[in-house]
Amino acid sequence: NLFGFGLDPFSILVPFLVFAIAVSHAVQMVRAFRMELFNGHDALSSARAAFRQMLVPGGVALITDTFGFITMLVIKIPIIQELAITASLGVGVIIITNLFLLPILLSFQKLPGHYATKADWTSAPFAVVNPQAKVAAADRMWQWLVGVTRPRTSVIIIAVWLAGGVYGYFKTDDVKIGDLHSGVPELRQSSRYNQDSAVITSKFSIGVDMISVLVDAGPDACVDYDVMTLMDRFEGAMRQVPGVQSVISLSSAAKVINAGFNEGSLKWRILPRNPQALAQAVSPVETATGLLNSNGSVLPVMIFLTDHKAETITRVTDAVKRFREDHPSPKAKLLLASGNVGVMAATNEVVAAAQRPILYWVFGSVILLCLITFRSVRATLCIVLPLAIVSFMAYAVMAWLEIGLKTATLPVVALGVGVGVDYGIYIFSKLDTELRRGAYFEDALYNAFTQTGSAVLFTGFTLAIGVITWLFSELKFQADLGLLLAFMFLVNMLGATILLPAMARWLYRHHTGRTQVPFPMTSGSNN
């Protein structure tokens, strides 16, 4: 309300995104608080310790999220820019609520003495029968994940993920800009509006998808034979383009009217060369028809299409540009375009121009903040490379599911990276802390999993389950968005828990080895 933004299809995403990111960081803070309670500290001391542990990784992750959303401002589409502003403001508020307010609230908690025994599943993300079984199940799961770091297994894991990233990179060319299906993209094909539109298109020469090319030729161009002839040639050329259902312009109307003044003879269905005769042919056409303006200087050519699929729009707009280049005229200019398809064509051009810059800005900000925080190229590589691979794999999913790249799906990469980077930062931050304390890699990774692993798994599954329910939405674009976000949330989680450790195994080889005490339970038990 303060910024004057209204409700639109994208505004429904902002509360969920803010809520999802807040849950992700809140779970990490509560997790750290609970671990301190299990070590025998009181609520106040545990809250202080949790605050110290989470301030740097949580702050970096949230700042990275904020920059990721701000980068969407480079897309010159107001609805996406509003999403970028509201989402970045929401994440900025999370910095205050989750990193400062939440520890204060936790410090006032009065927990019963048997809480540690009752709730100590230590790291297991799923409940089992009793506390002992919970700990055993957690140990087996984290030990299995630590096994990913062993040389032979880690090489296989890295190779598989890189192959997936390379496959996704080459599939980016298969992702179409715009809609891939007929009908209004916001609604499903089974909706009443899309069904009615299909009937109209199949039974009539006009339809609901129309692009209007404006012929700008100066005052009284409607009685200029050269201008009208150019329009007639343009209309004939556009009728030959596949996907064009019909074309209507002042020139075609004038030809029919001229024949009507001559007993309807088809021989007279031409444009008169004489200005007075041409004026007689166009005079019955009123400005209310939309075929000319009041002084006859702008003459729209209405092109009705069979659908508004991406390839149809591209084919028609390319044909208009090609005709404009092949038939230059000193009297008239062909201007693209109005009509609903004209808006789609302009939007597709903006999306095509913005898809690369938004990736550069998002990953540039993530790389810069990781370098500043960890001061290590190896650490930055461990965090960023899984995100990049998942982003390319998301393009492959879009191509496989026939989801076009448009205003509804363009922000997915930025949104997925903004949330997914949290997983990698939290796990690597704990791993880096343990390595700096002198722990061997296997022990450091195990401690990192026991401290942050369950929170990462909980967050990934919770967010994915939340957005996958959008598949049941009546809004088609929301269902597509939910499917893509669920994929990115889950696969980014897997990248942080599997690929990141496998890469770190080779980038931090000087820590390779095993201690005498296998898999210590807490970060303080390094030997």
Side-chain angles (χ1 to χ4, degrees):
N1 288 333
L2 290 176
F3 284 91
F5 297 158
L7 290 176
D8 53 62
F10 276 102
S11 64
I12 63 177
L13 305 177
V14 176
F16 172 80
L17 291 173
V18 174
F19 177 77
I21 296 173
V23 167
S24 174
H25 293 276
V27 169
Q28 294 285 354
M29 182 68 74
V30 174
R31 176 72 185 165
F33 171 77
R34 194 178 65 169
M35 291 291 292
E36 294 297 326
L37 285 179
F38 293 163
N39 290 333
H41 301 134
D42 58 18
L44 179 59
S45 300
S46 298
R48 287 175 176 172
F51 171 76
R52 295 190 185 100
Q53 294 176 30
M54 296 293 107
L55 180 61
V56 173
V60 172
L62 287 170
I63 293 174
T64 304
D65 295 343
T66 304
F67 274 94
F69 293 140
I70 290 177
T71 57
M72 289 191 294
L73 290 173
V74 302
I75 306 175
K76 303 303 181 182
I77 300 176
I79 191 173
I80 295 182
Q81 291 178 331
E82 292 181 11
L83 172 66
I85 294 172
T86 52
S88 58
L89 287 175
V91 175
V93 174
I94 294 176
I95 297 177
I96 300 175
T97 57
N98 279 43
L99 296 184
F100 297 96
L101 177 60
L102 181 56
I104 295 175
L105 297 177
L106 291 174
S107 67
F108 286 98
Q109 297 300 307
K110 303 296 182 182
L111 301 174
H114 63 277
Y115 172 77
T117 303
K118 179 180 179 181
D120 184 13
W121 45 350
T122 308
S123 303
F126 307 107
V128 283
V129 178
N130 55 62
Q132 291 76 20
K134 293 175 183 177
V135 175
D139 286 343
R140 288 192 299 269
M141 184 176 64
W142 299 134
Q143 288 174 16
W144 178 82
L145 283 176
V146 170
V148 172
T149 66
R150 294 189 169 89
R152 181 177 300 177
T153 311
S154 63
V155 169
I156 296 174
I157 293 295
I158 294 173
V160 170
W161 278 82
L162 287 178
V166 172
Y167 174 77
Y169 176 79
F170 286 107
K171 291 294 288 185
T172 55
D173 294 334
D174 295 338
V175 179
K176 304 297 183 181
I177 306 296
D179 296 310
L180 302 185
H181 304 282
S182 59
V184 177
E186 288 78 12
L187 301 176
R188 297 184 181 275
Q189 294 295 309
S190 58
S191 67
R192 170 53 65 88
Y193 183 87
N194 282 338
Q195 289 181 351
D196 291 348
S197 299
V199 172
I200 293 173
T201 303
S202 62
K203 295 184 178 297
F204 297 92
S205 61
I206 62 173
V208 296
D209 296 316
M210 187 268 290
I211 182 171
S212 181
V213 179
L214 306 180
V215 179
D216 185 6
D220 298 325
C222 59
V223 293
D224 189 315
Y225 178 77
D226 293 334
V227 174
M228 295 291 285
T229 301
L230 178 67
M231 289 178 57
D232 188 49
R233 291 175 180 173
F234 174 68
E235 182 177 339
M238 297 309 299
R239 290 181 187 274
Q240 308 305 315
V241 179
V244 174
Q245 188 161 351
S246 62
V247 184
I248 301 175
S249 70
L250 183 62
S251 63
S252 59
K255 289 164 66 177
V256 173
I257 294 172
N258 187 57
F261 281 125
N262 293 275
E263 300 180 349
S265 174
L266 294 179
K267 295 181 179 180
W268 288 94
R269 188 170 287 190
I270 59 172
L271 292 173
R273 290 180 177 273
N274 183 276
Q276 287 76 20
L278 185 57
Q280 182 186 36
V282 300
S283 59
V285 182
E286 299 180 357
T287 56
T289 61
L291 298 179
L292 75 166
N293 63 347
S294 58
N295 63 353
S297 61
V298 178
L299 312 174
V301 179
M302 300 179 183
I303 306 171
F304 292 91
L305 309 182
T306 56
D307 54 62
H308 58 254
K309 296 180 181 179
E311 58 268 22
T312 302
I313 295 177
T314 302
R315 192 185 305 119
V316 171
T317 53
D318 288 345
V320 173
K321 295 175 183 178
R322 187 165 52 251
F323 182 90
R324 185 168 55 188
E325 294 174 357
D326 296 341
H327 300 81
S329 172
K331 293 185 176 182
K333 295 184 293 184
L334 301 180
L335 305 178
L336 283 168
S338 62
N340 65 319
V341 176
V343 175
M344 292 179 186
T347 303
N348 290 346
E349 290 183 358
V350 174
V351 170
Q355 62 169 327
R356 297 296 181 185
I358 192 173
L359 285 176
Y360 300 150
W361 281 101
V362 169
F363 281 100
S365 61
V366 171
I367 291 172
L368 179 61
L369 290 172
C370 288
L371 287 173
I372 294 175
T373 303
F374 297 103
R375 300 177 183 177
S376 170
V377 175
R378 294 179 298 175
T380 303
L381 188 63
C382 287
I383 295 173
V384 174
L385 186 58
L387 296 175
I389 290 176
V390 175
S391 297
F392 286 125
M393 292 171 66
Y395 283 110
V397 172
M398 292 176 63
W400 182 52
L401 297 178
E402 296 185 347
I403 299 176
L405 190 63
K406 47 190 178 181
T407 55
T409 54
L410 182 61
V412 168
V413 173
L415 300 178
V417 171
V419 177
V421 71
D422 299 351
Y423 307 146
I425 288 178
Y426 275 116
I427 288 181
F428 187 85
S429 177
K430 291 295 181 183
L431 176 63
D432 185 60
T433 300
E434 297 295 330
L435 293 177
R436 290 179 184 274
R437 290 177 178 175
Y440 287 114
F441 184 84
E442 289 81 359
D443 299 328
L445 180 60
Y446 182 82
N447 288 329
F449 279 148
T450 57
Q451 294 177 58
T452 65
S454 63
V456 168
L457 295 182
F458 172 84
T459 303
F461 282 112
T462 301
L463 300 185
I465 292 172
V467 295
I468 204 67
T469 59
W470 293 359
L471 288 174
F472 304 102
S473 173
E474 294 296 329
L475 296 174
K476 179 63 168 60
F477 90 97
Q478 187 181 14
D480 293 341
L481 200 59
L483 187 61
L484 292 176
L485 285 175
F487 171 82
M488 297 202 72
F489 289 158
L490 283 177
V491 184
N492 273 325
M493 178 195 71
L494 295 176
T497 55
I498 297 178
L499 179 59
L500 187 153
M503 293 175 54
R505 172 69 167 82
W506 294 96
L507 294 176
Y508 291 86
R509 296 194 64 183
H510 58 286
H511 288 281
T512 302
R514 286 294 307 278
T515 60
Q516 297 299 319
V517 182
F519 302 125
M521 292 300 297
T522 65
S523 60
S525 56
N526 299 309
N527 294 315

